[in-house]
Amino acid sequence: MESLKFTSLIPCKASVNLIPTTTFVNHEVIGQVGFVPLWKRSARPALRLRAQVSGGSGGAQDGASALEDQREEKGVLLGAETDSSGSVIGFNLIPPNGELKVLDSPPEDATSDRVDETEDIDGKEKSKAKVTRNIVFVTAEAAPYSKTGGLGDVCGSLPIVLAARGHRVMVVSPRYQNGTAVDKKFSGALDLDTHIKIYCFGGDQEVAFFHEYREGVDWVFVDHPSFHRPGNPYGDSFGAFGDNQFRFTLLCHAACEAPLVLPLGGYTYGEKCLFMVNDWHAGLVPLLLAAKYRPYGVYKDARSVVVIHNLAHQGVEPAVTFKNLGIPPEWYGALEWVFPTWARTHALDTGEAVNILKGAIVTSDRILTVSEGYSWEITTVEGGYGLNELLSSRKSILTGITNGVDVVEWDPSSDVHIASHYSADDLSGKVQCKLALQKELGLPIRPDCPLIGFIGRLDYQKGIDLIQSGMPQLMEDDVQFVMLGSGDPLCEDWMRAAEATYKDKFRGWVGFNVPVSHRITAGCDILLMPSRFEPCGLNQLYAMRYGTVPVVHSTGGLRDTVLNFNPYAQGGQGDGTGWTFSPLTKESMLAALRLACRTFTEYKPSWEGLMKRCMERDFTWESAAVKYEQVFEWAFIDPPYVG
């Protein structure tokens, strides 16, 4: 084949602002002959001879079958071209002149908006989305690669379900490396050999991309030395990292470039994307779309949805740091934040700051929270953390959707971590799980004694102080109590002291252990969650799936998901899935716990009905995904935010 020259729109290594024009001979790069500005790239990339793909056999993804044997007016599109491992490395296009080329981006009709019902392996029809989209999740954590709480669970599960419904889904998060065995979780991600330069914090910052195609999703990891250090994604034993604003600014810029420069599955995601912006760490994305890209005609058809998992964390830093964010100065107002006088450190403190989550709320096309109750709470003075007026003003685009549960990981009929399997039709294994847990913890083996559990962070939000103050009175009753969690060192010390004081009734497990959390969820009769606020809460959903009855404070997602028990409903058959209590006091918490324990001890038929109703509740990600898709549709009805 003779040499061909054309503009390559996907550089292997290039500055973010410069796109090389490359010469190819027999599909090999032989040199760069010029540059064109990033902003002049077309909405749909040009044809090129070969696109690099990582991710094993999954590299074909959605494109191969749709493009095979397809005929176009300008030429014939043949089957996908693969390498020796079977990975798709391009799509062969023979134009009228006979030259062989490979598509970087699929033809318009190769990614149809309409997807019909299809059959899965078992022959059962699986629901598919009526309209499919290119969706880009931007998040600080995504399980199983990184996780500290519910954010990691959501961004590790929802993308997989959306991909199964026909969407093309990418998740962009940092490639954390902390020098421990946890680093192996990223071992399946391969270096894409694509480096870009991001201008922020006074200079060019170079980042790389790693990629793994798993369960229908493109998992993309942004690599930079600032993500390589001991600790969790946000800090270590000494507290939060001082450069978190820098680290997550890199994530946001890189996430905006990823759909444009990464040839995943043979072609890029392109500009018509829907960005799912999770919490403040990803909050610069909608601002960058509006301020950096759309003025130059890029991402004019993209939309952004900010998902608030916890409004208490907003990414607030001194106002002087605005110049580091790589955003035009005229956009300062979107991030501007002024602390009230009482919150300032001294008389000369002007209280001026930048608030990244505020900027995301201002510039995003839709706003989501992780439960219906929380979507209302954040518009109140008590739950709005200073943003309640802004959120109230955007109430027309604010929606709450309750998180789902990973029904594969959390399934009492197949859970590998528990002693005995069971289901709503056969609850006998539940007792065996309880006996095994009592034995493991060294508690007296008593199947008829109510066993209460707590799983969560040991901090003020989770109501640990109520548990501490109420424990002496609770331990006077015939109950057993087990706690699993870490956090406040004083709370951890209290757990150790309580175990020594109540030797036959209390056990505390300091730290977090996934198998143990499964065994506690399966083995306990009651799960206690006295949270001060809870955007959604997942532990109560896991508990109900395992027939463990929740006792929760009536707030946020807890109030949405736990239905208060009414023994007189349905002709005395009962209704409800647990107990909610309010106000948040030791007395109301103890009253609810004692009512639950009495029902367990004295009203076995009612308790069995509670367990079965809990296990029959539908909190799957499949049902939540349908609601997310409705929000996607709403986001594309109106024009994008342009300021």
Side-chain angles (χ1 to χ4, degrees), residues 269-289:
Y269 274 57
E271 297 178 26
K272 193 174 181 180
C273 289
L274 175 70
F275 287 89
M276 298 295 290
V277 178
N278 292 274
D279 276 350
W280 79 264
H281 322 98
L284 286 180
V285 168
L287 198 64
L288 289 169
L289 297 179

mmCIF file of all heavy atoms in Angstrom, residues 269-289:
data_model
loop_
_atom_site.group_PDB
_atom_site.id
_atom_site.type_symbol
_atom_site.label_atom_id
_atom_site.label_comp_id
_atom_site.label_asym_id
_atom_site.label_seq_id
_atom_site.Cartn_x
_atom_site.Cartn_y
_atom_site.Cartn_z
ATOM 1 N N TYR A 269 -15.874 8.082 21.808
ATOM 2 C CA TYR A 269 -17.252 8.347 22.219
ATOM 3 C C TYR A 269 -17.803 9.582 21.519
ATOM 4 O O TYR A 269 -19.006 9.714 21.320
ATOM 5 C CB TYR A 269 -17.318 8.546 23.740
ATOM 6 C CG TYR A 269 -17.466 7.261 24.509
ATOM 7 C CD1 TYR A 269 -16.546 6.225 24.387
ATOM 8 C CD2 TYR A 269 -18.533 7.065 25.372
ATOM 9 C CE1 TYR A 269 -16.672 5.047 25.087
ATOM 10 C CE2 TYR A 269 -18.681 5.880 26.094
ATOM 11 C CZ TYR A 269 -17.748 4.875 25.945
ATOM 12 O OH TYR A 269 -17.883 3.694 26.640
ATOM 13 N N GLY A 270 -16.923 10.501 21.181
ATOM 14 C CA GLY A 270 -17.357 11.694 20.474
ATOM 15 C C GLY A 270 -17.953 12.750 21.390
ATOM 16 O O GLY A 270 -17.910 12.657 22.613
ATOM 17 N N GLU A 271 -18.520 13.767 20.762
ATOM 18 C CA GLU A 271 -18.955 14.953 21.501
ATOM 19 C C GLU A 271 -20.371 14.863 22.063
ATOM 20 O O GLU A 271 -20.701 15.579 23.008
ATOM 21 C CB GLU A 271 -18.860 16.183 20.597
ATOM 22 C CG GLU A 271 -17.447 16.502 20.160
ATOM 23 C CD GLU A 271 -17.410 17.698 19.236
ATOM 24 O OE1 GLU A 271 -18.323 18.539 19.323
ATOM 25 O OE2 GLU A 271 -16.492 17.789 18.417
ATOM 26 N N LYS A 272 -21.215 14.014 21.483
ATOM 27 C CA LYS A 272 -22.594 13.940 21.963
ATOM 28 C C LYS A 272 -22.675 12.958 23.124
ATOM 29 O O LYS A 272 -23.174 11.841 23.009
ATOM 30 C CB LYS A 272 -23.547 13.531 20.847
ATOM 31 C CG LYS A 272 -25.017 13.739 21.219
ATOM 32 C CD LYS A 272 -25.942 13.470 20.059
ATOM 33 C CE LYS A 272 -27.399 13.709 20.454
ATOM 34 N NZ LYS A 272 -28.336 13.457 19.341
ATOM 35 N N CYS A 273 -22.142 13.390 24.256
ATOM 36 C CA CYS A 273 -22.068 12.550 25.453
ATOM 37 C C CYS A 273 -22.997 13.091 26.540
ATOM 38 O O CYS A 273 -23.377 14.266 26.539
ATOM 39 C CB CYS A 273 -20.642 12.520 26.005
ATOM 40 S SG CYS A 273 -19.476 11.611 25.007
ATOM 41 N N LEU A 274 -23.316 12.217 27.451
ATOM 42 C CA LEU A 274 -23.993 12.623 28.671
ATOM 43 C C LEU A 274 -23.025 12.377 29.816
ATOM 44 O O LEU A 274 -22.652 11.230 30.085
ATOM 45 C CB LEU A 274 -25.270 11.816 28.886
ATOM 46 C CG LEU A 274 -25.999 12.090 30.205
ATOM 47 C CD1 LEU A 274 -26.622 13.480 30.191
ATOM 48 C CD2 LEU A 274 -27.068 11.046 30.471
ATOM 49 N N PHE A 275 -22.575 13.441 30.474
ATOM 50 C CA PHE A 275 -21.633 13.325 31.581
ATOM 51 C C PHE A 275 -22.391 13.177 32.900
ATOM 52 O O PHE A 275 -23.216 14.031 33.244
ATOM 53 C CB PHE A 275 -20.722 14.551 31.648
ATOM 54 C CG PHE A 275 -19.684 14.603 30.568
ATOM 55 C CD1 PHE A 275 -19.951 15.209 29.351
ATOM 56 C CD2 PHE A 275 -18.436 14.040 30.762
ATOM 57 C CE1 PHE A 275 -19.004 15.261 28.337
ATOM 58 C CE2 PHE A 275 -17.468 14.084 29.764
ATOM 59 C CZ PHE A 275 -17.757 14.698 28.553
ATOM 60 N N MET A 276 -22.114 12.108 33.617
ATOM 61 C CA MET A 276 -22.664 11.892 34.954
ATOM 62 C C MET A 276 -21.608 12.331 35.960
ATOM 63 O O MET A 276 -20.581 11.676 36.132
ATOM 64 C CB MET A 276 -23.028 10.426 35.158
ATOM 65 C CG MET A 276 -24.101 9.920 34.205
ATOM 66 S SD MET A 276 -25.691 10.732 34.476
ATOM 67 C CE MET A 276 -26.145 10.039 36.065
ATOM 68 N N VAL A 277 -21.836 13.463 36.596
ATOM 69 C CA VAL A 277 -20.853 14.141 37.443
ATOM 70 C C VAL A 277 -21.164 13.815 38.902
ATOM 71 O O VAL A 277 -22.173 14.254 39.442
ATOM 72 C CB VAL A 277 -20.915 15.662 37.190
ATOM 73 C CG1 VAL A 277 -19.949 16.398 38.093
ATOM 74 C CG2 VAL A 277 -20.645 15.965 35.722
ATOM 75 N N ASN A 278 -20.312 13.037 39.542
ATOM 76 C CA ASN A 278 -20.586 12.526 40.874
ATOM 77 C C ASN A 278 -19.840 13.302 41.957
ATOM 78 O O ASN A 278 -18.605 13.237 42.048
ATOM 79 C CB ASN A 278 -20.203 11.043 40.946
ATOM 80 C CG ASN A 278 -21.112 10.190 40.087
ATOM 81 O OD1 ASN A 278 -22.166 9.765 40.510
ATOM 82 N ND2 ASN A 278 -20.699 9.967 38.843
ATOM 83 N N ASP A 279 -20.587 14.050 42.759
ATOM 84 C CA ASP A 279 -20.064 14.813 43.896
ATOM 85 C C ASP A 279 -19.044 15.866 43.454
ATOM 86 O O ASP A 279 -18.776 16.042 42.267
ATOM 87 C CB ASP A 279 -19.503 13.878 44.969
ATOM 88 C CG ASP A 279 -20.584 13.360 45.904
ATOM 89 O OD1 ASP A 279 -21.717 13.873 45.845
ATOM 90 O OD2 ASP A 279 -20.312 12.430 46.696
ATOM 91 N N TRP A 280 -18.462 16.566 44.426
ATOM 92 C CA TRP A 280 -17.638 17.729 44.099
ATOM 93 C C TRP A 280 -16.368 17.352 43.353
ATOM 94 O O TRP A 280 -15.834 18.154 42.587
ATOM 95 C CB TRP A 280 -17.295 18.514 45.359
ATOM 96 C CG TRP A 280 -16.181 17.939 46.196
ATOM 97 C CD1 TRP A 280 -16.304 17.137 47.285
ATOM 98 C CD2 TRP A 280 -14.771 18.150 46.014
ATOM 99 N NE1 TRP A 280 -15.060 16.824 47.781
ATOM 100 C CE2 TRP A 280 -14.102 17.437 47.025
ATOM 101 C CE3 TRP A 280 -14.005 18.867 45.090
ATOM 102 C CZ2 TRP A 280 -12.710 17.415 47.140
ATOM 103 C CZ3 TRP A 280 -12.617 18.843 45.202
ATOM 104 C CH2 TRP A 280 -11.988 18.125 46.220
ATOM 105 N N HIS A 281 -15.877 16.126 43.561
ATOM 106 C CA HIS A 281 -14.620 15.730 42.931
ATOM 107 C C HIS A 281 -14.695 15.830 41.410
ATOM 108 O O HIS A 281 -13.687 16.081 40.751
ATOM 109 C CB HIS A 281 -14.262 14.298 43.332
ATOM 110 C CG HIS A 281 -14.599 13.965 44.748
ATOM 111 N ND1 HIS A 281 -15.754 13.300 45.099
ATOM 112 C CD2 HIS A 281 -13.957 14.239 45.896
ATOM 113 C CE1 HIS A 281 -15.797 13.164 46.404
ATOM 114 N NE2 HIS A 281 -14.723 13.731 46.921
ATOM 115 N N ALA A 282 -15.885 15.634 40.858
ATOM 116 C CA ALA A 282 -16.092 15.728 39.405
ATOM 117 C C ALA A 282 -16.796 17.021 39.031
ATOM 118 O O ALA A 282 -17.183 17.214 37.874
ATOM 119 C CB ALA A 282 -16.906 14.531 38.922
ATOM 120 N N GLY A 283 -16.952 17.939 39.972
ATOM 121 C CA GLY A 283 -17.819 19.100 39.806
ATOM 122 C C GLY A 283 -17.365 20.117 38.775
ATOM 123 O O GLY A 283 -18.172 20.950 38.338
ATOM 124 N N LEU A 284 -16.096 20.100 38.370
ATOM 125 C CA LEU A 284 -15.642 21.061 37.372
ATOM 126 C C LEU A 284 -16.075 20.678 35.960
ATOM 127 O O LEU A 284 -16.001 21.499 35.038
ATOM 128 C CB LEU A 284 -14.116 21.194 37.415
ATOM 129 C CG LEU A 284 -13.515 21.962 38.590
ATOM 130 C CD1 LEU A 284 -12.000 21.991 38.471
ATOM 131 C CD2 LEU A 284 -14.065 23.375 38.667
ATOM 132 N N VAL A 285 -16.527 19.445 35.760
ATOM 133 C CA VAL A 285 -16.855 18.987 34.403
ATOM 134 C C VAL A 285 -17.920 19.856 33.734
ATOM 135 O O VAL A 285 -17.702 20.347 32.615
ATOM 136 C CB VAL A 285 -17.264 17.497 34.417
ATOM 137 C CG1 VAL A 285 -17.875 17.097 33.076
ATOM 138 C CG2 VAL A 285 -16.058 16.628 34.733
ATOM 139 N N PRO A 286 -19.100 20.086 34.333
ATOM 140 C CA PRO A 286 -20.081 20.926 33.641
ATOM 141 C C PRO A 286 -19.593 22.350 33.416
ATOM 142 O O PRO A 286 -19.950 22.988 32.414
ATOM 143 C CB PRO A 286 -21.312 20.890 34.561
ATOM 144 C CG PRO A 286 -20.815 20.420 35.875
ATOM 145 C CD PRO A 286 -19.631 19.556 35.608
ATOM 146 N N LEU A 287 -18.759 22.851 34.320
ATOM 147 C CA LEU A 287 -18.197 24.194 34.146
ATOM 148 C C LEU A 287 -17.224 24.223 32.971
ATOM 149 O O LEU A 287 -17.213 25.172 32.182
ATOM 150 C CB LEU A 287 -17.500 24.623 35.434
ATOM 151 C CG LEU A 287 -17.236 26.118 35.611
ATOM 152 C CD1 LEU A 287 -18.545 26.880 35.692
ATOM 153 C CD2 LEU A 287 -16.416 26.368 36.864
ATOM 154 N N LEU A 288 -16.408 23.190 32.837
ATOM 155 C CA LEU A 288 -15.474 23.117 31.719
ATOM 156 C C LEU A 288 -16.222 23.000 30.390
ATOM 157 O O LEU A 288 -15.825 23.603 29.389
ATOM 158 C CB LEU A 288 -14.534 21.921 31.902
ATOM 159 C CG LEU A 288 -13.489 22.052 33.016
ATOM 160 C CD1 LEU A 288 -12.799 20.716 33.268
ATOM 161 C CD2 LEU A 288 -12.467 23.119 32.671
ATOM 162 N N LEU A 289 -17.297 22.227 30.364
ATOM 163 C CA LEU A 289 -18.080 22.106 29.134
ATOM 164 C C LEU A 289 -18.584 23.471 28.684
ATOM 165 O O LEU A 289 -18.532 23.811 27.498
ATOM 166 C CB LEU A 289 -19.260 21.155 29.347
ATOM 167 C CG LEU A 289 -18.940 19.696 29.680
ATOM 168 C CD1 LEU A 289 -20.232 18.914 29.876
ATOM 169 C CD2 LEU A 289 -18.087 19.059 28.611
#
